[in-house]
Amino acid sequence: MNFTSTRIEDILFDAARKGDVVTIQELISEGADINIRNGRGFTPLILASYEGHYEATKALLDAGADVNAQDMSGNTALMGLCFKGFADIAELLIARGADLNIQNYSGGTALMFATMFGRHELVRLVAEHGADQSVRDSRGLTALEMAEKIGNEEALKVLHHGG
């Protein structure tokens, strides 16, 4: 397929949102910038993973997508997954070097997102892979303190006792 350069960006973002691996691979073969950002700072990797598209996420990572890219709020793909709950994709990102301790511009981390949104499997996964539980957000709270505040008993078990 032959894409015009002015449309490659739009097509790549659309393909990432839809999980269209074929189009993503065609664009990569034509030299598309896989780390390009849209107006909100999202990269194709952030979009593909957030929408739950494992194969598209893997294709972008295989092509060299920045696993730790941050959007305009400082959120990473892993943080988005800890909100949405796609543990299989979170495992892939962690295996490919996702930094578990990056903080967004409010001080939030992947562990905090998983805790706040009741993603127990992700709380366990991120904690077991070494997320720093002493990190505090802009309100001064750790993930454990968040779990206590909202009554997230499952997260408390993991964060207090390692599961």
Side-chain angles (χ1 to χ4, degrees), residues 7-25 27 34 36-60 84 86 89:
R7 298 274 305 133
I8 288 177
E9 175 182 317
D10 293 335
I11 296 167
L12 181 56
F13 284 120
D14 190 53
R17 269 187 218 93
K18 292 178 179 174
D20 182 349
V21 178
V22 172
T23 300
I24 289 169
Q25 290 173 332
L27 290 166
I34 57 169
I36 196 160
R37 295 171 183 276
N38 70 11
R40 296 181 62 192
F42 298 150
T43 64
L45 178 68
I46 290 172
L47 291 173
S49 61
Y50 188 80
E51 294 297 333
H53 300 302
Y54 183 93
E55 291 302 323
T57 300
K58 185 176 180 310
L60 289 161
K84 293 283 281 205
F86 300 117
I89 301 174

Side-chain angles (χ1 to χ4, degrees), residues 105-117:
Y105 302 139
S106 298
T109 65
L111 182 59
M112 291 175 186
F113 276 91
T115 300
M116 285 188 297
F117 293 101

Side-chain angles (χ1 to χ4, degrees), residues 75 78-84 100-120 122-124 126-127 131-148 150 152 155 159:
N75 296 312
L78 183 60
M79 288 177 193
L81 294 173
C82 287
F83 165 74
K84 293 283 281 205
L100 304 174
N101 298 310
I102 290 177
Q103 291 181 269
N104 69 13
Y105 302 139
S106 298
T109 65
L111 182 59
M112 291 175 186
F113 276 91
T115 300
M116 285 188 297
F117 293 101
R119 304 298 183 188
H120 308 305
L122 289 166
V123 170
R124 183 176 313 283
V126 174
D132 183 349
Q133 295 185 35
S134 69
V135 173
R136 294 184 179 277
D137 71 3
S138 61
R139 297 170 299 169
L141 298 174
T142 65
L144 177 63
E145 291 164 343
M146 286 177 185
E148 290 169 344
I150 64 174
N152 184 334
L159 299 173

Side-chain angles (χ1 to χ4, degrees), residues 3 16 64 70 73 83 87 96 100 104 106 110 118 121 146 153 155 162:
F3 302 103
Q70 293 175 271
S73 298
F83 165 74
R96 297 294 185 93
L100 304 174
N104 69 13
S106 298
E121 184 179 2
M146 286 177 185
E153 296 298 324

Side-chain angles (χ1 to χ4, degrees), residues 55-69:
E55 291 302 323
T57 300
K58 185 176 180 310
L60 289 161
L61 288 168
D62 288 347
D66 181 358
V67 72
N68 292 311

